[in-house]
Amino acid sequence: MTVTSEMKPESVTLHPLGTASAPVPELLCIFGTGDLGRSLGLRLLQSGYRVVYGSRRPDSCGPLPQGAQVMSHAAAAQSAGLIFICVHREHYDFLQNLAPHLQGKVLVDLSNNLKKGVYPEANAAYLQRLVPGAAVVKGLNTLSAWALQNGLLAGKQVYLCGNSAEAKQAVAEMATKLGVTVLDKGSLSAARELEDFPLRLFPEWRLPLSVAFGLIAFFFFYLLIRDVIYAYVEQGKDVSFRIMVSLANKVFPIVSLIMLSLCYLPGSIAGFLQLYRGTKYRRFPDWLDRWMLCRKQMGLVALGLAFLHAIYTFIIPIRYNVRHKLISTVVDEIKKNKTTPFDFDNTEAWGTDSFFALGILGFFLYVLLGLTSLPSVGGTLSWREFTFIQSKLGHLTLFICTAHGYLYGWNKFLRVSTYKWYTPPGFMLCLIVPSVVLVLKALLLLPCVDRTLTRIRQGWERTQSKEELGINKATNF
Amino acid sequence: MTVTSEMKPESVTLHPLGTASAPVPELLCIFGTGDLGRSLGLRLLQSGYRVVYGSRRPDSCGPLPQGAQVMSHAAAAQSAGLIFICVHREHYDFLQNLAPHLQGKVLVDLSNNLKKGVYPEANAAYLQRLVPGAAVVKGLNTLSAWALQNGLLAGKQVYLCGNSAEAKQAVAEMATKLGVTVLDKGSLSAARELEDFPLRLFPEWRLPLSVAFGLIAFFFFYLLIRDVIYAYVEQGKDVSFRIMVSLANKVFPIVSLIMLSLCYLPGSIAGFLQLYRGTKYRRFPDWLDRWMLCRKQMGLVALGLAFLHAIYTFIIPIRYNVRHKLISTVVDEIKKNKTTPFDFDNTEAWGTDSFFALGILGFFLYVLLGLTSLPSVGGTLSWREFTFIQSKLGHLTLFICTAHGYLYGWNKFLRVSTYKWYTPPGFMLCLIVPSVVLVLKALLLLPCVDRTLTRIRQGWERTQSKEELGINKATNF
Amino acid sequence: MTVTSEMKPESVTLHPLGTASAPVPELLCIFGTGDLGRSLGLRLLQSGYRVVYGSRRPDSCGPLPQGAQVMSHAAAAQSAGLIFICVHREHYDFLQNLAPHLQGKVLVDLSNNLKKGVYPEANAAYLQRLVPGAAVVKGLNTLSAWALQNGLLAGKQVYLCGNSAEAKQAVAEMATKLGVTVLDKGSLSAARELEDFPLRLFPEWRLPLSVAFGLIAFFFFYLLIRDVIYAYVEQGKDVSFRIMVSLANKVFPIVSLIMLSLCYLPGSIAGFLQLYRGTKYRRFPDWLDRWMLCRKQMGLVALGLAFLHAIYTFIIPIRYNVRHKLISTVVDEIKKNKTTPFDFDNTEAWGTDSFFALGILGFFLYVLLGLTSLPSVGGTLSWREFTFIQSKLGHLTLFICTAHGYLYGWNKFLRVSTYKWYTPPGFMLCLIVPSVVLVLKALLLLPCVDRTLTRIRQGWERTQSKEELGINKATNF
């Protein structure tokens, strides 16, 4: 055979099929035949492994995935090097008796708790204490039986920790074959952190939601006093029905606009801080870091409130009191026979229409921003596209929404009747923060400021001595 | 050289570049130079393989990816161990003549059919019959030429099946290098199933859509009789124009609310079944399993109908007949000079505004639920977050939407005129299922019931004998 | 021990833990301790590598990930075979002095520029020129420090290029372990292309947005003349306030419908071209290819405009001029005491309600189409499902929206007053393209045409000679 180096038969060319040389796939052991155990076994079989279940009742443990074996715990443990513990922590004690059989094995602890802080030590640490001769690896506990069964692993990320690098390596290789990406979180002392992952309840949403609820409560009571109580006290009118729609439709846009501006405020503060310090290499204060980390959530809360504002606005004309007012206006009109207000006011038409157009455009951009924050959409954007949308488009949205707010009050700013009980109306209060943010951003966009900031962000430092400058240049980025 | 073990030069340190020791990348063969063949070749080259095409006309087979070779089928087959068959099944017969050259090779059958059930046997089984000496692996057929060309493979899942474990292993390794996750579906008898994957047409949507269309048809005719035909027969009025908007805007919310409650009903039924049986280890009846599996789709259909309801509501005031009614009310009013109805009814204002506010809030939560069912959003949620949203937030949505329904009929329940031809109005019928679901859920939330159910779901069994309990404890989860 | 071949202890069974045989993880070197360097180091440590930083000031380079070492550049370079260059291009010159230490090493250039075309050669080419003895690999530069830090790599795709296949192989293996999929883009001459990736700014959106803006500008001025200037010139009325809402709400739906039909036009053109040519193996003209590639973006622009149209429509009844018109109609009515227009016109009611219903349904389908174009939703669809939605549902949407347009003008087509200054109204112009697309599609759906086209798309060629037909059959697909 005269095969050139380029054409030589490759290693995958099979040996004559069916001969003994075929590699036997690795055998893995699973303790526990519940939902998770069964789903994991199915998935391992599908990824090309052989699977043996360890069970106290090998003869009556219900339906298991086709192709898997069942044995006693001891026999199963002996046959494989890697054992998945798919058993509730409360039942770990049986493993103590098995300890001799588990000597030198890798035990993967997949367990989760129902609540945080029920036990003094992590499940995996407890397991390691029960079976000191084995190498316990905590991990994969964020995979649900549901995801395993339905093959929803591709592209997921799982965490591992353990004291034996070798054991972690073995588990990582197996996990990679399952299609998940592995992140090593260090020694077994990180087990508690891993066990708390599935019990997280929107930690990054806490701050934004607290701020939003605080602002909603404040503006609700502020406007309740100005709109409802004022009318009752001063004019003796009961307009309490306004609480459900009119008041809500004032509170939501106000808080939405403030939340949106709070999204962009920390970026400007960070810019000024860097300018003041003349370097980007000093850490931001903790409060600023935390604020920066929840900007996305703040923006999404703002979008939610803007969405509510939009719907509240759409149903205005079908409300009882709006229709009642319309009809009684006409009837009054006719009876008194005055025609003055029926003169068409062109300025009023331009003003209200511009107000609506800005609101619609602002909402449209709001929704665009929200869409790009979807993981699957944001993931397809290049760095420059992401920056463009989140910074340029974001500030444009803020500008348009702020203009929408100013236009709402266009002829009310100088009217005395606006300031009931000497308080400014809600929309005036709400325009303060956005205006400040826009002014700060405008300052940062001034060519001279922008140039300095760009240089700082590229690693330049103002206070460097000459030598340092030469030396340090190489380690930024 | 005194390099410590920690610091020793690593294996990736290159041999002097350009020497002969560099490993030659594996050579793969592709039969077929159509779209799929070309895209696959490009992708393989990009993943670091060498590629050779087998063609009957090696000299005139059109543009191929740069770096690929072209040969006759026989020569190409001989040069590689793994051959991709990117040819339509109808043209497989030429492979029979090539059989001697394909002896011991791995043939990957990527073919798909245009329709189900055209051929008596799967394409891959037919191929195996034509070339018995080769190891046929069916798979990767869910990857489109489009996805291959545009590098949209990362994180995708593909299926394999075949009779040779060794051949499957070789293909799986290649596929992993392409960035996809491989799931082994067993022997070649699964080929038909794999070939049907790309021909699926929303199988999991069938049941929810059938239920939705059934309910829509029922309520449409029910309301047609009550609203249009009744008016024609009893009052002689032709209000048939109502079909397009008014009727639709009654049918959609009614069916939406029922579908939403049907989403949460099976969960409650399952809970009661587990309580009754005292164990979670017995399978649910088939109908319940199927119902549970299409809850997500039911919810999305409900969301779609709620979306239609919302838009139908928004355009109410611009409809011709609404404006006509408004104008003629006023004109009648003036002419008859009665002012009674113009007294402002505070209760009415509160009632309608609360009705709208609940509807808006319900729709908002509906949309939230829908967003978290997006794969890329749901994938980022922890187990507890997912449970919180789908169970707590879901039931809250159902509660608010049901309250919205009750408020709609608040003063109509006891009015005789409501029951035209002795039939209850549509919204009353639609409130039955949601009310039942909410009551069932409330019962399951009673502390004593909840405690027992939680224990059962953690693996406790009521009917266990003492010994079994000790033994069995270890195998739940 | 009598272990059968099936049960033999597997290779992952650990050596007695803690013995010296444990493999030492590979050591990688990072030059640069900025954001990117630190994030990359953290990620490498989490993926099981050891990391050493090269720094000019090893003693004062700020906080580095736990577990990483810091050394001088030379020492760090010597200790590892793979070196990541996380330094701005402007500071590369220090590497020239290090060249002796970098001999035979793999240098991964992760650098990006702030703008396109600042430097005459790619950063990686410049690096290779500075250190000719090293194997430079350009790549991973699309990964941001943010993504690295937050573990958002799973399922991402990165690009590599370089002149040494061996070096690329080493980097590819490392990248695979990080959870990303690697695509080889060839030799180092592709570096410029890779460096331009993060600087892309929506290249595939350029054409659709240009077309949309062109159409918007045209229709804006066309309607400005017909609606505003005509009224001013002929009737002396100033209706300029209409620009903000009325005009926008005509331009957006018109352009939306045209964009939607432009989405489906190239598919029909391609079909007719294939029918005319009698083969699918000849390339489409360039303009058609480019058009086909931006269909998704065209559709999304159309959806955005339809969304704006919907909102503009919802706020119609709360506009000042609409309410003013309503009130003055009634008042005029009463005063003149004519009751004619208050007769209810059943045809008008049917017409407008059908118009609205079609609009709502069209918008609903529009949104559905948009949802399936989300990467995470579209990725879960089978080939047939995708085809069904994008072709069948797409054409249905187009049909319904076109019908919505025809219904808008139902009784205006034959009215002379419609043709102000002898120009047709905007909606008539906008109906031309959709009507043509629908007719073309209808022709393609004729059984005889459809059958021929399906055969062509399966690889059949009309002009084949008999022999060729036999030979060529095997290379379609």
Side-chain angles (χ1 to χ4, degrees):
Chain A
M1 212 161 106
T2 55
V3 179
T4 67
S5 115
E6 227 177 321
M7 286 292 107
K8 74 160 185 271
E10 294 299 320
S11 56
V12 290
T13 307
L14 294 178
H15 305 271
L17 295 170
T19 60
S21 69
V24 182
E26 197 179 326
L27 180 71
L28 303 177
C29 172
I30 299 174
F31 279 10
T33 56
D35 269 359
L36 184 65
R38 272 182 282 138
S39 310
L40 179 64
L42 175 68
R43 179 73 199 200
L44 288 171
L45 286 163
Q46 287 177 332
S47 296
Y49 288 101
R50 286 179 306 132
V51 171
V52 60
Y53 281 95
S55 169
R56 289 270 170 137
R57 298 181 298 178
D59 304 322
S60 62
C61 59
L64 292 176
Q66 221 194 339
Q69 293 174 290
V70 203
M71 301 186 191
S72 72
H73 281 131
Q78 240 157 358
S79 66
L82 211 150
I83 302 166
F84 296 94
I85 310 294
C86 299
V87 171
H88 279 293
R89 179 209 172 104
E90 299 93 74
H91 311 134
Y92 275 8
D93 33 6
F94 85 100
L95 291 162
Q96 202 158 17
N97 309 327
L98 278 177
H101 303 284
L102 301 175
Q103 197 66 28
K105 306 283 182 180
V106 177
L107 301 187
V108 187
D109 183 322
L110 289 94
S111 67
N112 287 313
N113 297 321
L114 286 177
K115 277 181 197 161
K116 281 190 191 182
V118 180
Y119 301 105
E121 62 187 340
N123 299 353
Y126 172 56
L127 178 61
Q128 184 69 81
R129 200 154 52 75
L130 287 177
V131 196
V136 172
V137 174
K138 178 80 207 183
L140 308 183
N141 58 321
T142 47
L143 300 179
S144 65
W146 171 259
L148 282 160
Q149 230 166 17
N150 292 277
L152 300 172
L153 302 188
K156 274 219 173 185
Q157 192 158 256
V158 297
Y159 302 92
L160 289 187
C161 72
N163 293 328
S164 156
E166 206 179 344
K168 282 193 288 190
Q169 180 69 15
V171 178
E173 266 164 29
M174 179 278 308
T176 304
K177 237 178 141 180
L178 254 56
V180 296
T181 301
V182 176
L183 232 69
D184 188 340
K185 283 290 201 177
S187 74
L188 207 56
S189 58
R192 170 137 293 203
E193 189 195 336
L194 264 64
E195 286 170 12
D196 284 347
F197 269 138
L199 298 176
R200 270 177 329 176
L201 193 61
F202 301 110
E204 70 279 28
W205 286 87
R206 295 246 163 102
L207 184 58
L209 284 178
S210 310
V211 172
F213 281 121
L215 287 170
I216 287 175
F218 170 75
F219 278 102
F220 177 76
F221 287 111
Y222 186 79
L223 292 174
L224 189 71
I225 291 169
R226 272 184 53 94
D227 288 11
V228 178
I229 297 179
Y230 176 87
Y232 191 75
V233 172
E234 300 279 323
Q235 298 156 18
K237 282 198 293 183
D238 177 7
V239 291
S240 62
F241 69 89
R242 287 204 182 173
I243 288 172
M244 292 310 285
V245 176
S246 306
L247 219 66
N249 201 17
K250 281 185 176 179
V251 171
F252 290 149
I254 284 174
V255 179
S256 175
L257 185 52
I258 295 182
M259 293 296 289
L260 185 67
S261 54
L262 289 181
C263 232
Y264 294 104
L265 184 52
S268 292
I269 293 180
F272 278 103
L273 208 62
Q274 288 178 335
L275 275 176
Y276 172 75
R277 289 172 169 179
T279 175
K280 70 159 190 173
Y281 292 112
R282 274 169 61 198
R283 296 210 147 236
F284 292 129
D286 257 7
W287 57 268
L288 189 57
D289 260 343
R290 276 179 57 205
W291 192 353
M292 304 257 271
L293 283 175
C294 66
R295 282 180 291 179
K296 178 179 164 180
Q297 282 75 24
M298 287 213 158
L300 289 175
V301 170
L303 172 59
L305 294 169
F307 179 72
L308 284 172
H309 167 49
I311 307 187
Y312 268 107
T313 305
F314 299 155
I315 57 119
I316 286 177
I318 49 173
R319 288 175 63 205
Y320 169 75
N321 74 310
V322 172
R323 283 193 290 188
H324 183 274
K325 200 173 160 193
L326 190 70
I327 295 176
S328 49
T329 307
V330 178
V331 174
D332 283 9
E333 213 50 52
I334 303 282
K335 288 192 179 148
K336 294 172 192 157
N337 205 19
K338 31 168 210 185
T339 45
T340 341
F342 290 100
D343 284 343
F344 189 78
D345 182 351
N346 222 345
T347 320
E348 177 85 15
W350 262 100
T352 53
D353 273 12
S354 305
F355 168 67
F356 289 132
L358 282 175
I360 292 170
L361 196 57
F363 183 60
F364 179 75
L365 293 176
Y366 240 124
V367 172
L368 259 193
L369 285 177
L371 281 176
T372 56
S373 78
L374 283 175
S376 68
V377 176
T380 62
L381 297 178
S382 77
W383 167 80
R384 195 167 154 222
E385 288 165 352
F386 189 79
T387 310
F388 177 82
I389 286 189
Q390 294 302 330
S391 173
K392 299 242 173 87
L393 218 62
H395 280 96
L396 181 65
T397 310
L398 183 60
F399 177 75
I400 287 176
C401 291
T402 310
H404 176 68
Y406 274 105
L407 220 50
Y408 176 75
W410 69 325
N411 53 10
K412 293 179 192 139
F413 286 102
L414 295 175
R415 232 186 270 156
V416 177
S417 68
T418 306
Y419 303 89
K420 301 175 189 168
W421 283 345
Y422 305 107
T423 57
F427 74 87
M428 279 190 203
L429 289 184
C430 110
L431 285 171
I432 297 170
V433 191
S435 306
V436 168
V437 173
L438 288 172
V439 168
L440 289 181
K441 183 68 190 177
L443 288 176
L444 285 177
L445 286 180
L446 291 178
C448 53
V449 182
D450 186 43
R451 213 177 310 126
T452 314
L453 194 58
T454 305
R455 282 171 70 198
I456 287 175
R457 288 191 173 157
Q458 280 187 279
W460 176 81
E461 296 186 61
R462 190 169 48 220
T463 53
Q464 289 170 320
S465 66
K466 265 278 145 76
E467 308 109 283
E468 263 192 313
L469 204 136
I471 293 166
N472 200 35
K473 261 159 98 184
T475 50
N476 45 13
F477 199 74
Chain B
M1 211 161 107
T2 55
V3 179
T4 67
S5 116
E6 228 178 318
M7 286 293 107
K8 74 160 186 270
E10 293 301 320
S11 58
V12 290
T13 307
L14 294 179
H15 305 272
L17 294 171
T19 61
S21 69
V24 182
E26 198 178 324
L27 180 72
L28 303 177
C29 172
I30 299 174
F31 278 11
T33 55
D35 270 358
L36 184 66
R38 271 181 283 139
S39 310
L40 179 64
L42 176 67
R43 179 73 199 200
L44 289 171
L45 286 163
Q46 288 177 331
S47 296
Y49 289 100
R50 285 178 306 133
V51 171
V52 59
Y53 281 95
S55 168
R56 289 271 170 136
R57 297 182 296 178
D59 305 321
S60 62
C61 58
L64 293 176
Q66 221 195 339
Q69 294 174 289
V70 203
M71 301 187 192
S72 71
H73 281 130
Q78 240 159 357
S79 66
L82 212 150
I83 301 166
F84 296 93
I85 311 294
C86 299
V87 172
H88 278 293
R89 179 209 172 104
E90 299 93 73
H91 311 133
Y92 275 9
D93 34 4
F94 85 99
L95 291 163
Q96 203 159 15
N97 309 326
L98 278 177
H101 303 285
L102 302 175
Q103 196 68 26
K105 306 283 182 180
V106 177
L107 301 187
V108 187
D109 183 321
L110 290 94
S111 68
N112 287 314
N113 297 321
L114 285 178
K115 278 182 198 162
K116 281 189 191 184
V118 179
Y119 300 105
E121 62 188 341
N123 299 352
Y126 172 56
L127 177 61
Q128 183 72 80
R129 198 155 54 76
L130 287 177
V131 196
V136 172
V137 174
K138 177 82 207 182
L140 309 183
N141 58 320
T142 46
L143 299 179
S144 65
W146 171 258
L148 282 161
Q149 228 166 17
N150 292 274
L152 301 171
L153 302 187
K156 274 220 172 183
Q157 193 158 254
V158 298
Y159 301 92
L160 289 186
C161 73
N163 293 327
S164 156
E166 204 179 345
K168 282 193 288 190
Q169 180 70 16
V171 179
E173 268 165 28
M174 179 277 308
T176 304
K177 236 176 140 179
L178 254 56
V180 296
T181 302
V182 175
L183 232 69
D184 188 341
K185 284 289 200 178
S187 73
L188 206 58
S189 58
R192 171 136 292 203
E193 189 193 335
L194 264 64
E195 285 170 11
D196 283 349
F197 270 139
L199 298 176
R200 271 178 328 177
L201 194 61
F202 302 109
E204 71 278 29
W205 287 86
R206 295 248 163 102
L207 186 58
L209 284 178
S210 309
V211 173
F213 280 120
L215 286 170
I216 287 174
F218 169 75
F219 279 102
F220 177 76
F221 287 111
Y222 187 80
L223 293 173
L224 188 71
I225 292 169
R226 272 184 52 94
D227 287 11
V228 178
I229 297 178
Y230 177 87
Y232 191 74
V233 172
E234 299 280 323
Q235 298 155 17
K237 281 198 294 184
D238 177 7
V239 291
S240 61
F241 68 89
R242 286 203 181 173
I243 289 172
M244 293 310 286
V245 176
S246 306
L247 219 68
N249 201 18
K250 280 185 177 180
V251 171
F252 291 149
I254 284 174
V255 179
S256 174
L257 185 53
I258 295 182
M259 294 295 289
L260 185 66
S261 55
L262 289 180
C263 231
Y264 294 105
L265 184 52
S268 293
I269 293 178
F272 278 104
L273 209 61
Q274 288 179 335
L275 275 176
Y276 172 76
R277 289 171 169 180
T279 175
K280 68 158 193 176
Y281 292 111
R282 275 170 59 199
R283 296 209 147 236
F284 292 129
D286 257 9
W287 57 267
L288 189 55
D289 259 345
R290 275 179 57 205
W291 193 351
M292 305 256 273
L293 282 175
C294 66
R295 281 180 292 178
K296 178 178 163 181
Q297 282 75 23
M298 288 212 157
L300 289 175
V301 170
L303 172 59
L305 294 169
F307 178 73
L308 284 172
H309 167 48
I311 307 188
Y312 269 107
T313 305
F314 299 156
I315 56 116
I316 286 178
I318 48 173
R319 288 174 63 205
Y320 168 76
N321 73 311
V322 172
R323 283 193 289 187
H324 182 273
K325 202 175 159 192
L326 190 71
I327 295 176
S328 49
T329 308
V330 179
V331 174
D332 283 9
E333 214 52 52
I334 303 282
K335 289 191 177 148
K336 293 171 194 158
N337 205 20
K338 30 168 211 183
T339 45
T340 340
F342 291 100
D343 284 343
F344 190 78
D345 181 349
N346 221 344
T347 320
E348 178 84 14
W350 261 100
T352 53
D353 273 10
S354 305
F355 168 67
F356 289 131
L358 281 175
I360 292 169
L361 197 57
F363 182 60
F364 179 74
L365 292 175
Y366 241 123
V367 172
L368 259 193
L369 285 177
L371 281 177
T372 56
S373 78
L374 283 175
S376 68
V377 176
T380 62
L381 297 178
S382 79
W383 167 80
R384 196 166 155 224
E385 288 165 352
F386 189 78
T387 310
F388 176 83
I389 284 189
Q390 293 302 330
S391 173
K392 300 243 172 88
L393 217 64
H395 280 97
L396 180 66
T397 310
L398 183 60
F399 177 76
I400 287 177
C401 292
T402 310
H404 176 68
Y406 274 106
L407 219 52
Y408 176 75
W410 69 323
N411 53 9
K412 293 177 192 141
F413 286 102
L414 295 174
R415 229 186 272 158
V416 176
S417 67
T418 306
Y419 303 90
K420 300 176 187 166
W421 284 344
Y422 306 106
T423 57
F427 73 87
M428 281 191 201
L429 290 183
C430 111
L431 285 171
I432 297 170
V433 192
S435 307
V436 168
V437 173
L438 287 172
V439 168
L440 289 180
K441 183 68 189 176
L443 287 176
L444 285 177
L445 285 180
L446 290 178
C448 54
V449 182
D450 185 44
R451 214 177 307 124
T452 315
L453 194 58
T454 305
R455 281 172 68 199
I456 287 176
R457 289 192 173 156
Q458 281 187 277
W460 174 82
E461 296 186 61
R462 189 168 52 217
T463 54
Q464 289 172 319
S465 66
K466 266 278 144 74
E467 309 109 282
E468 263 193 312
L469 204 134
I471 292 165
N472 201 34
K473 262 160 95 182
T475 51
N476 43 15
F477 199 75
Chain C
M1 211 161 108
T2 57
V3 179
T4 68
S5 116
E6 228 177 320
M7 286 293 107
K8 73 159 186 272
E10 293 300 320
S11 57
V12 290
T13 307
L14 295 177
H15 305 272
L17 295 171
T19 60
S21 71
V24 182
E26 197 178 325
L27 180 72
L28 302 178
C29 171
I30 298 173
F31 278 10
T33 56
D35 270 358
L36 183 66
R38 273 181 281 137
S39 310
L40 179 64
L42 176 69
R43 179 73 199 199
L44 288 171
L45 287 164
Q46 287 177 333
S47 295
Y49 288 101
R50 287 179 304 133
V51 171
V52 59
Y53 281 95
S55 170
R56 289 271 170 137
R57 296 181 297 178
D59 305 321
S60 61
C61 59
L64 293 176
Q66 222 194 340
Q69 293 174 289
V70 203
M71 300 187 193
S72 72
H73 281 131
Q78 240 158 358
S79 65
L82 212 149
I83 301 165
F84 296 94
I85 311 293
C86 299
V87 171
H88 278 293
R89 178 209 173 104
E90 299 93 73
H91 311 135
Y92 274 9
D93 33 5
F94 85 100
L95 291 162
Q96 202 158 14
N97 310 326
L98 278 176
H101 304 284
L102 302 175
Q103 195 67 25
K105 306 282 181 181
V106 177
L107 302 188
V108 186
D109 184 320
L110 290 93
S111 68
N112 287 313
N113 298 321
L114 286 178
K115 277 183 197 161
K116 281 189 189 182
V118 179
Y119 300 104
E121 64 188 339
N123 299 353
Y126 172 55
L127 178 62
Q128 183 71 80
R129 197 156 53 76
L130 287 177
V131 196
V136 172
V137 174
K138 178 80 208 183
L140 308 183
N141 58 320
T142 47
L143 299 179
S144 65
W146 172 258
L148 283 161
Q149 229 165 17
N150 292 275
L152 300 171
L153 303 187
K156 274 221 173 181
Q157 192 159 257
V158 297
Y159 301 91
L160 288 187
C161 73
N163 293 328
S164 157
E166 205 180 343
K168 281 194 287 188
Q169 179 70 15
V171 178
E173 268 165 28
M174 179 278 308
T176 304
K177 238 177 141 180
L178 255 56
V180 296
T181 302
V182 176
L183 232 69
D184 188 341
K185 283 288 199 179
S187 73
L188 206 58
S189 58
R192 169 137 293 202
E193 190 194 336
L194 265 65
E195 285 170 11
D196 283 347
F197 269 138
L199 298 176
R200 270 179 329 178
L201 193 61
F202 302 108
E204 71 278 29
W205 287 87
R206 296 249 162 101
L207 185 58
L209 284 178
S210 310
V211 173
F213 280 121
L215 287 170
I216 287 175
F218 170 75
F219 278 102
F220 177 76
F221 287 111
Y222 186 78
L223 292 174
L224 188 72
I225 292 168
R226 271 184 53 93
D227 288 10
V228 178
I229 297 177
Y230 177 87
Y232 191 73
V233 171
E234 300 280 323
Q235 297 154 20
K237 281 198 293 183
D238 177 7
V239 292
S240 62
F241 68 90
R242 286 203 181 174
I243 290 172
M244 292 311 285
V245 176
S246 306
L247 218 69
N249 200 19
K250 281 185 177 180
V251 171
F252 291 149
I254 284 175
V255 179
S256 175
L257 185 52
I258 296 182
M259 293 297 287
L260 185 67
S261 56
L262 289 181
C263 231
Y264 294 104
L265 184 52
S268 293
I269 293 179
F272 278 103
L273 208 61
Q274 287 179 336
L275 275 175
Y276 172 75
R277 290 170 168 181
T279 175
K280 69 158 191 173
Y281 292 112
R282 274 170 58 199
R283 296 210 146 237
F284 292 130
D286 257 7
W287 58 268
L288 189 56
D289 260 344
R290 275 179 59 205
W291 191 353
M292 304 257 272
L293 283 175
C294 66
R295 281 180 294 178
K296 179 178 164 181
Q297 282 74 25
M298 287 210 157
L300 290 175
V301 170
L303 171 59
L305 294 169
F307 179 73
L308 283 171
H309 167 49
I311 307 188
Y312 269 107
T313 305
F314 299 157
I315 57 116
I316 286 177
I318 48 173
R319 287 175 64 205
Y320 168 75
N321 73 311
V322 173
R323 284 194 290 188
H324 182 273
K325 201 175 161 191
L326 190 71
I327 295 176
S328 50
T329 308
V330 179
V331 174
D332 283 8
E333 214 51 51
I334 303 281
K335 290 193 177 148
K336 294 172 192 158
N337 205 21
K338 30 167 209 182
T339 45
T340 342
F342 291 100
D343 284 342
F344 190 79
D345 181 350
N346 221 345
T347 321
E348 177 86 15
W350 262 101
T352 53
D353 273 12
S354 305
F355 167 67
F356 290 131
L358 281 175
I360 292 170
L361 197 57
F363 183 60
F364 179 74
L365 293 176
Y366 241 124
V367 172
L368 259 193
L369 286 177
L371 282 176
T372 56
S373 78
L374 282 175
S376 69
V377 176
T380 64
L381 297 177
S382 79
W383 168 80
R384 197 167 153 222
E385 288 165 352
F386 189 79
T387 309
F388 177 82
I389 284 189
Q390 293 302 331
S391 173
K392 300 244 172 87
L393 218 63
H395 280 98
L396 181 66
T397 310
L398 183 60
F399 178 76
I400 288 177
C401 291
T402 310
H404 176 68
Y406 274 106
L407 220 51
Y408 175 74
W410 70 323
N411 53 11
K412 292 178 194 143
F413 286 102
L414 296 174
R415 230 186 272 157
V416 176
S417 69
T418 306
Y419 303 89
K420 301 175 189 167
W421 283 345
Y422 305 106
T423 57
F427 74 88
M428 280 191 201
L429 289 184
C430 110
L431 285 171
I432 297 170
V433 192
S435 306
V436 168
V437 173
L438 288 172
V439 168
L440 289 180
K441 182 69 189 176
L443 287 176
L444 286 176
L445 286 180
L446 290 178
C448 54
V449 183
D450 186 44
R451 212 178 310 125
T452 315
L453 194 57
T454 305
R455 282 172 68 198
I456 287 176
R457 288 192 174 158
Q458 281 187 279
W460 175 82
E461 296 185 61
R462 190 168 51 217
T463 53
Q464 289 170 319
S465 65
K466 266 278 145 76
E467 310 109 281
E468 264 194 310
L469 204 135
I471 293 165
N472 200 34
K473 261 159 97 182
T475 49
N476 45 12
F477 200 75

